[in-house]
C-alpha cells in the first residue's frame, strides 16, 4: 500500500507533532522545540485514509477491553457480602488505572490512546485533532464500551447482573447531585490535565532531565481519582464507560443521574484544555 511505511511510522496522525498521547514526544533526538501547527477543524482527506479507520478500530477494541476488565472487577466486589474477601475499592481503582496504563501504551501509536470521550474532547479543544477524528473516536469508544459491558452481562447472567447494578454509575446515598457533578468535574480535570502534561512536547524539551513514559502518569491519575470518588459516584470521568454500563443495565437507577457523567467530564475536560492552552503553554521555553 502506498505510503504504508510512513503511515505506520507516524501512527494515527500524518502530522507526528500532533500525536496526542504516547511516547513520541519523549523520543526526540533534538531537544530544540518549535510550536506545532494546530490541527485543522475539518480534514476531509482523513476520510479516505486507512489509518483513520484503523485508529477508530483501535479505540473500539481498547474501550471494549477497558469495560470488560473494569466492570467485571466491580461485579466481583459488589457480589460479596463483605469486601474483606474481595480486592475492595483499592482493587477496583487498580483495575481501572492499570487497564488505562496498559491500553494507552498499546494503542498510543495507532490512535493516540484516548479511550475516553472526555479526553478526546479536551484534545480537540486544544486543537490536537480534527472535529472529524474527534467525533469518530467518540462513537467508536461508546460502541466498544457497550460491547464490553454486554460481555460482562453474558458472563454474570441477566438476573445477577441486574441485582448488582451492572457496574452503572449513579450518585450514592448521602450525596447530592451537585456533589456528584463536582466530583466528576474535578476528577476529569485531574485526568485530562495529566494527559496534557504527560504528552506535552514543549515540556519534554524544556525538562529533558525528567524522563517520562506517558501512559504511566495517566493510568496513575485514573487510579487516584477512583480511590477518591468511588464512594461518591462510583467514578465515571469517562462518558463511554458510563454509557456502556447504563445501556446494558438499562434500569432507572442507571439513567436517573446519567447526565452527570456526561456534563461533569466534559466541563472538566474543557477546564483542563483552557488551563493547558492559556497557562501552561504560555510558559516561555528555555532550552537547557
Amino acid at each position: 500500500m502506498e505510503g504504508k511505511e510512513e503511515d505506520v511510522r507516524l501512527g494515527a496522525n500524518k502530522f507526528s507533532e500532533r500525536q496526542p498521547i504516547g511516547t513520541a514526544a519523549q523520543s526526540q533526538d533534538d531537544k530544540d522545540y518549535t510550536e506545532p501547527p494546530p490541527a485543522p477543524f475539518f480534514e476531509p482527506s482523513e476520510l479516505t485514509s486507512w489509518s483513520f479507520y484503523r485508529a477508530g478500530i483501535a479505540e473500539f477494541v481498547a474501550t471494549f477491553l477497558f469495560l470488560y476488565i473494569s466492570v467485571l472487577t466491580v461485579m466481583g466486589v459488589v457480589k460479596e457480602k463483605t469486601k474483606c474477601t474481595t480486592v475492595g475499592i483499592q482493587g477496583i481503582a487498580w483495575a481501572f488505572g492499570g487497564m488505562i496504563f496498559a491500553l494507552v501504551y498499546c494503542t498510543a501509536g495507532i490512535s493516540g490512546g484516548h479511550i475516553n470521550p472526555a479526553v478526546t474532547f479536551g484534545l480537540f479543544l486544544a486543537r490536537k485533532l480534527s472535529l472529524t477524528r474527534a467525533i469518530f473516536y467518540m462513537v467508536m469508544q461508546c460502541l466498544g464500551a457497550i460491547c464490553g459491558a454486554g460481555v460482562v452481562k453474558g458472563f454474570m447472567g441477566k438476573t445477577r447482573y441486574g441485582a448488582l447494578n451492572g457496574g452503572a454509575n449513579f450518585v450514592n446515598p448521602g450525596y447530592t447531585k451537585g456533589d456528584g457533578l463536582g466530583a466528576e468535574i474535578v476528577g476529569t480535570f485531574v485526568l485530562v490535565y495529566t494527559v496534557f502534561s504527560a504528552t506535552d512536547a514543549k515540556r519534554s524539551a524544556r525538562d529533558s532531565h525528567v524522563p517520562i513514559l506517558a501512559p504511566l502518569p495517566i493510568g496513575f491519575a485514573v487510579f487516584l481519582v477512583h480511590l477518591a470518588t468511588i464512594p461518591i459516584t462510583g467514578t465515571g470521568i469517562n462518558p463511554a464507560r458510563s454509557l456502556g454500563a447504563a445501556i446494558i443495565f438499562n434500569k432507572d437507577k442507571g439513567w436517573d443521574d446519567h447526565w452527570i457523567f456526561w456534563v461533569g467530564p466534559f466541563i472538566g475536560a474543557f477546564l483542563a484544555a483552557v488551563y493547558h492552552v492559556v497557562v501552561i503553554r504560555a510558559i516561555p521555553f528555555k532550552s537547557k
Side-chain angles (χ1 to χ4, degrees), residues 51-93:
S51 68
F52 176 79
Y53 297 100
R54 183 186 62 185
I57 294 171
E59 288 293 309
F60 172 88
V61 172
T63 315
F64 168 83
L65 294 174
F66 176 59
L67 264 288
Y68 168 71
I69 295 296
S70 58
V71 174
L72 200 57
T73 302
V74 172
M75 295 287 97
V77 172
V78 299
K79 74 181 180 67
E80 301 294 340
K81 294 181 179 180
T82 172
K83 300 298 184 290
C84 295
T85 60
T86 70
V87 296
I89 289 179
Q90 293 87 348
I92 293 174

Side-chain angles (χ1 to χ4, degrees), residues 23-35 200-212 285-288:
T23 57
Q26 289 80 43
S27 64
Q28 298 170 341
D29 294 327
D30 185 1
K31 289 298 180 179
D32 289 336
Y33 177 83
T34 55
E35 192 73 19
D200 187 3
K202 181 178 181 179
R203 178 178 182 270
S204 178
R206 183 180 63 244
D207 303 329
S208 58
H209 62 288
V210 183
I212 189 169
F285 171 71
K286 293 182 180 180
S287 180
K288 294 185 178 181

Side-chain angles (χ1 to χ4, degrees), residues 36-167:
F41 183 77
F42 178 68
E43 194 168 9
S45 62
E46 288 185 316
L47 299 176
T48 60
S49 170
W50 161 239
S51 68
F52 176 79
Y53 297 100
R54 183 186 62 185
I57 294 171
E59 288 293 309
F60 172 88
V61 172
T63 315
F64 168 83
L65 294 174
F66 176 59
L67 264 288
Y68 168 71
I69 295 296
S70 58
V71 174
L72 200 57
T73 302
V74 172
M75 295 287 97
V77 172
V78 299
K79 74 181 180 67
E80 301 294 340
K81 294 181 179 180
T82 172
K83 300 298 184 290
C84 295
T85 60
T86 70
V87 296
I89 289 179
Q90 293 87 348
I92 293 174
W94 274 120
F96 278 87
M99 281 303 291
I100 288 298
F101 168 70
L103 294 170
V104 170
Y105 181 83
C106 292
T107 60
I110 305 172
S111 66
H114 297 194
I115 321 171
N116 185 336
V119 171
T120 300
F121 179 66
L123 292 168
F124 165 70
L125 292 178
R127 301 295 300 276
K128 301 287 187 179
L129 71 164
S130 67
L131 177 64
T132 315
R133 187 176 293 269
I135 292 175
F136 184 50
Y137 277 16
M138 290 181 190
V139 171
M140 297 301 283
Q141 289 158 0
C142 290
L143 291 176
I146 293 168
C147 293
V151 171
V152 174
K153 183 176 182 179
F155 284 166
M156 300 296 295
K158 182 178 180 180
T159 301
R160 184 162 58 165
Y161 183 85
L164 298 175
N165 297 324

Side-chain angles (χ1 to χ4, degrees), residues 122-282:
L123 292 168
F124 165 70
L125 292 178
R127 301 295 300 276
K128 301 287 187 179
L129 71 164
S130 67
L131 177 64
T132 315
R133 187 176 293 269
I135 292 175
F136 184 50
Y137 277 16
M138 290 181 190
V139 171
M140 297 301 283
Q141 289 158 0
C142 290
L143 291 176
I146 293 168
C147 293
V151 171
V152 174
K153 183 176 182 179
F155 284 166
M156 300 296 295
K158 182 178 180 180
T159 301
R160 184 162 58 165
Y161 183 85
L164 298 175
N165 297 324
N169 289 120
F170 48 84
V171 178
N172 288 315
Y175 295 95
T176 66
K177 293 187 188 304
D179 295 332
L181 181 62
E184 289 296 306
I185 291 173
V186 175
T188 310
F189 178 90
V190 171
L191 170 59
V192 179
Y193 176 40
T194 304
V195 169
F196 279 122
S197 297
T199 61
D200 187 3
K202 181 178 181 179
R203 178 178 182 270
S204 178
R206 183 180 63 244
D207 303 329
S208 58
H209 62 288
V210 183
I212 189 169
L213 178 66
L216 182 58
I218 295 170
F220 201 63
V222 171
F223 164 70
L224 293 174
V225 171
H226 275 75
L227 282 182
T229 60
I230 282 176
I232 303 174
T233 62
T235 309
I237 68 172
N238 184 334
R241 173 261 186 272
S242 301
L243 179 66
I247 287 178
I248 300 302
F249 180 50
N250 198 29
K251 293 184 179 179
D252 290 343
K253 189 174 184 179
W255 291 116
D256 289 344
D257 301 329
H258 187 68
W259 64 272
I260 292 174
F261 302 98
W262 282 88
V263 175
F266 273 64
I267 292 176
F270 170 78
L271 294 175
V274 171
Y275 181 69
H276 174 74
V277 172
V278 175
V279 179
I280 302 302
R281 295 186 69 86

